[in-house]
Coordinates of all heavy atoms in Angstrom, one line a residue:
I1296 N 343.2 349.1 94.4 CA 342.7 350.1 93.6 C 342.9 351.5 94.1 O 343.5 352.4 93.3 CB 341.1 349.9 93.3 CG1 340.9 348.6 92.6 CG2 340.6 351.1 92.5 CD1 341.5 348.5 91.2
F1304 N 343.8 351.1 88.7 CA 343.3 351.2 87.3 C 344.4 351.8 86.5 O 344.7 351.3 85.4 CB 342.0 351.9 87.2 CG 340.8 351.3 87.8 CD1 340.1 352.0 88.7 CD2 340.5 350.0 87.6 CE1 338.9 351.4 89.3 CE2 339.4 349.4 88.2 CZ 338.6 350.1 89.0
S1325 N 340.7 344.7 96.7 CA 340.1 346.0 97.0 C 338.9 345.9 97.9 O 338.2 344.9 98.1 CB 339.6 346.6 95.6 OG 339.0 347.9 95.9
A1326 N 338.7 347.0 98.7 CA 337.5 347.1 99.5 C 336.2 347.5 98.6 O 335.1 347.4 99.1 CB 337.7 348.1 100.6
R1327 N 336.5 347.9 97.4 CA 335.4 348.3 96.5 C 334.7 347.2 95.9 O 335.3 346.3 95.3 CB 336.0 349.2 95.4 CG 336.6 350.6 96.0 CD 337.5 351.2 95.0 NE 336.8 351.7 93.8 CZ 337.2 352.7 93.0 NH1 338.3 353.4 93.4 NH2 336.5 353.0 91.9
R1328 N 333.4 347.1 96.2 CA 332.6 345.9 95.7 C 331.7 346.3 94.6 O 330.8 345.5 94.3 CB 331.9 345.2 96.9 CG 331.1 346.2 97.7 CD 330.4 345.4 98.9 NE 331.3 345.0 99.9 CZ 331.3 343.7 100.3 NH1 330.5 342.8 99.8 NH2 332.1 343.3 101.2
N1329 N 331.9 347.4 93.9 CA 331.1 347.9 92.8 C 331.3 347.0 91.6 O 332.5 346.8 91.2 CB 331.5 349.3 92.6 CG 330.8 350.0 91.4 OD1 330.3 349.3 90.5 ND2 330.6 351.3 91.5
E1330 N 330.3 346.5 91.0 CA 330.4 345.6 89.8 C 331.1 346.3 88.7 O 331.9 345.6 87.9 CB 329.0 345.1 89.4 CG 329.1 344.1 88.3 CD 327.7 343.5 88.0 OE1 326.8 343.5 88.8 OE2 327.5 343.1 86.9
E1331 N 331.0 347.6 88.5 CA 331.7 348.3 87.4 C 333.1 348.3 87.6 O 333.9 348.2 86.7 CB 331.1 349.7 87.4 CG 329.7 349.9 86.9 CD 329.5 349.1 85.6 OE1 330.3 349.3 84.6 OE2 328.5 348.3 85.4
D1332 N 333.6 348.4 89.0 CA 335.0 348.3 89.2 C 335.6 346.9 88.8 O 336.6 346.8 88.3 CB 335.3 348.6 90.7 CG 335.1 350.0 91.1 OD1 335.1 350.9 90.2 OD2 334.9 350.3 92.3
V1333 N 334.8 345.9 89.2 CA 335.3 344.5 88.8 C 335.4 344.4 87.3 O 336.5 343.9 86.8 CB 334.3 343.5 89.4 CG1 334.7 342.1 88.9 CG2 334.2 343.5 90.9
K1334 N 334.4 344.8 86.5 CA 334.4 344.8 85.1 C 335.6 345.5 84.5 O 336.2 345.1 83.6 CB 333.1 345.2 84.5 CG 331.9 344.3 84.8 CD 330.7 344.9 84.2 CE 329.4 344.0 84.4 NZ 328.2 344.6 83.9
R1335 N 335.8 346.7 85.1 CA 336.9 347.6 84.6 C 338.2 346.9 84.8 O 339.1 346.9 83.9 CB 336.8 349.0 85.2 CG 337.8 349.9 84.7 CD 337.6 351.3 85.3 NE 338.7 352.2 84.9 CZ 339.0 353.3 85.5 NH1 338.3 353.7 86.6 NH2 340.0 354.0 85.1
A1336 N 338.4 346.4 86.0 CA 339.7 345.8 86.3 C 340.0 344.6 85.4 O 341.1 344.4 84.9 CB 339.7 345.3 87.8
Y1344 N 339.7 339.3 91.1 CA 339.3 340.5 91.9 C 338.8 340.0 93.2 O 337.9 339.2 93.2 CB 338.2 341.2 91.1 CG 337.9 342.6 91.7 CD1 338.3 343.7 91.0 CD2 337.1 342.7 92.9 CE1 338.0 345.0 91.5 CE2 336.8 344.0 93.3 CZ 337.3 345.2 92.6 OH 337.0 346.4 93.1
L1346 N 337.8 340.8 97.3 CA 337.4 341.8 98.3 C 338.3 341.6 99.5 O 338.7 340.5 99.8 CB 336.0 341.7 98.7 CG 334.9 342.0 97.6 CD1 333.5 341.7 98.1 CD2 335.1 343.4 97.1

Side-chain angles (χ1 to χ4, degrees):
I1296 294 295
F1304 294 127
S1325 181
R1327 294 165 63 153
R1328 51 178 72 233
N1329 179 333
E1330 189 176 328
E1331 292 306 311
D1332 288 339
V1333 177
K1334 288 179 182 176
R1335 183 175 175 200
Y1344 192 104
L1346 294 174

